[in-house]
Amino acid sequence: LKNYSIHLFVDPVLDKLPPRNRSIIIDYFGLYGNNCLTQKETAIKNNISPERVRQIIAKFRRMIIRKMIQKKSYHEMYLYL
């Protein structure tokens, strides 16, 4: 059940991201059964800097928080971010 509620917020936000950013988020957070990677591992895999990975993750978190506030459901997701 917890996993289902996470995907209610994550999937629509992931759909709005460019394919490369979506791949970075999936790798970093280990979504959809993937293993979690560190920022450095994600950066190497995608041939970008770890700082750029951090920026993409920060933007994704802001998007998720906005989505939760819109739906007034942030109490469900607080611990995941």
Side-chain angles (χ1 to χ4, degrees):
L1 181 63
K2 281 186 179 181
N3 214 10
Y4 175 74
S5 63
I6 291 171
H7 287 286
L8 286 175
F9 294 100
V10 172
D11 290 345
V13 174
L14 279 176
D15 290 342
K16 293 180 182 179
L17 295 176
R20 185 181 82 168
N21 291 8
R22 186 179 315 127
S23 172
I24 289 167
I25 296 299
I26 290 170
D27 289 341
Y28 182 77
F29 287 104
L31 300 174
Y32 309 116
N34 293 319
N35 291 327
C36 294
L37 300 178
T38 65
Q39 279 187 355
K40 188 173 182 177
E41 292 169 336
T42 304
I44 291 169
K45 180 178 177 183
N46 291 281
N47 199 25
I48 58 175
S49 71
E51 174 60 19
R52 184 64 187 134
V53 172
R54 187 202 61 77
Q55 292 168 356
I56 292 167
I57 292 165
K59 181 177 180 180
F60 176 73
R61 286 181 170 149
R62 287 190 303 271
M63 292 171 74
I64 291 289
I65 289 169
R66 276 195 298 264
K67 186 82 161 167
M68 291 186 308
I69 290 170
Q70 287 174 351
K71 294 189 179 239
K72 294 182 173 59
S73 300
Y74 44 85
H75 60 280
E76 294 176 21
M77 292 285 294
Y78 181 77
L79 296 174
Y80 296 104
L81 300 175

